[in-house]
């Protein structure tokens, strides 16, 4: 019976081409070469894989609510100072108190721009005030996580099964993943970036 050498389907006598692969049929199929198993990675290769994985995971950086609040408040003050100073100067120029090398239309445009700065400053201050609730929630979450970690994360349990000669980079990767695997089910509200930061923090506290 003829066979397709590509899809390896069998056809009735008289067929000469495979309708699916458009290949000439053959009378016998050649034996498939045995797959050679890939060699186990060396400790150096494992260390390199762990280092690259750890580096990639740290690219997704967690920004705490406190840091976001500080950045937003800093931006608000910048817009307020620049907008307020510019608005005052242009207002004095329009009133004839100051003389600037611009016509009235240009001064009016700049006045509007600095007014927008002041509006943005107000919105930013309002947003920063709302972030205070986020800071309180995050502080409460971190407190609960630390209480949980004291009961569930120990150096002995995290290093169980790890060989003594395991490279430090691979050791860090394995333990960090173990911390994440325990942490995420207990606190599903924690995102990946925050989990990475917590895993690194607990690793440093337990092993360094």
């Amino acid at each position: 019976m003829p066979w397709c050498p590509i899809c390896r389907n069998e056809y009735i006598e008289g067929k000469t081409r495979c309708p699916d692969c458009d290949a000439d049929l053959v009378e016998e199929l050649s034996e498939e070469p045995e797959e050679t198993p890939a060699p186990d990675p060396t400790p150096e290769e494992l260390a390199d894989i762990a280092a690259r994985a750890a580096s990639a995971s740290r690219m997704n950086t967690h920004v705490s609510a406190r840091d976001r609040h500080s950045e937003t408040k800093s931006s608000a003050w910048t817009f307020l100072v620049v907008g307020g100073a510019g608005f005052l100067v242009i207002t004095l120029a329009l009133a004839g108190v100051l003389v600037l090398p611009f016509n009235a239309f240009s001064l009016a445009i700049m006045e509007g721009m600095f007014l927008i700065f002041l509006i943005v400053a107000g919105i930013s201050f309002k947003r920063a005030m709302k972030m205070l609730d986020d800071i309180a929630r995050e502080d409460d979450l971190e407190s609960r996580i630390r209480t949980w970690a004291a009961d569930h994360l120990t150096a002995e349990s995290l290093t169980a099964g790890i060989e003594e000669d395991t490279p430090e980079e691979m050791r860090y990767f394995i333990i960090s993943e173990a911390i994440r695997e325990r942490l995420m089910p207990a606190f599903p509200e924690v995102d990946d970036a925050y989990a990475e930061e917590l895993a690194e923090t607990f690793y440093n506290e337990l092993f360094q």
Side-chain angles (χ1 to χ4, degrees):
M1 302 288 283
W3 297 77
C4 175
I6 299 177
C7 65
R8 307 182 76 82
N9 287 331
E10 183 182 11
Y11 290 91
I12 61 174
E13 291 291 348
K15 284 280 188 179
T16 59
R17 293 188 69 81
C18 174
D20 296 324
C21 306
D22 195 30
D24 292 330
L25 302 181
V26 297
E27 290 299 323
E28 294 182 2
L29 291 175
S30 59
E31 293 293 331
E32 292 186 6
E34 295 184 2
E35 294 184 1
T36 303
D40 293 333
T42 64
E44 291 75 15
E45 291 172 334
L46 287 175
D48 181 61
I49 293 172
R52 285 189 280 111
S55 176
S57 66
R58 285 193 289 269
M59 291 175 65
N60 188 16
T61 305
H62 170 70
V63 180
S64 68
R66 197 175 300 278
D67 288 341
R68 294 197 303 272
H69 173 265
S70 177
E71 291 173 2
T72 302
K73 195 172 181 180
S74 176
S75 297
W77 276 110
T78 300
F79 277 109
L80 179 63
V81 171
V82 174
F87 189 85
L88 177 61
V89 169
I90 300 302
T91 300
L92 293 176
L94 288 172
V97 177
L98 293 177
V99 178
L100 296 177
F102 302 104
N103 57 36
F105 178 75
S106 297
L107 291 174
I109 294 296
M110 287 188 283
E111 182 91 324
M113 180 186 68
F114 287 120
L115 179 60
I116 292 174
F117 277 28
L118 292 174
I119 293 173
V120 172
I123 294 173
S124 298
F125 275 118
K126 185 177 181 180
R127 186 177 300 163
M129 290 296 295
K130 290 182 178 180
M131 288 181 179
L132 294 176
D133 292 336
D134 295 336
I135 293 174
R137 284 193 294 269
E138 192 170 272
D139 287 347
D140 175 70
L141 175 61
E142 183 173 348
S143 177
R144 289 188 289 113
I145 289 175
R146 286 198 166 276
T147 301
W148 170 88
D151 297 329
H152 295 84
L153 299 179
T154 62
E156 293 77 12
S157 64
L158 291 170
T159 55
I162 300 178
E163 300 293 337
E164 290 292 334
D165 58 350
T166 301
E168 185 62 30
E169 294 85 354
M170 191 65 185
R171 182 185 179 88
Y172 168 80
F173 180 67
I174 294 172
I175 294 175
S176 296
E177 282 301 303
I179 294 174
R180 280 171 47 84
E181 288 175 0
R182 298 183 188 187
L183 175 67
M184 297 295 281
F187 299 93
E189 65 270 37
V190 172
D191 59 33
D192 289 338
Y194 192 22
E196 289 288 348
E197 180 180 294
L198 290 169
E200 183 174 0
T201 298
F202 290 135
Y203 177 87
N204 291 333
E205 291 177 358
L206 289 170
F207 299 98
Q208 296 182 9

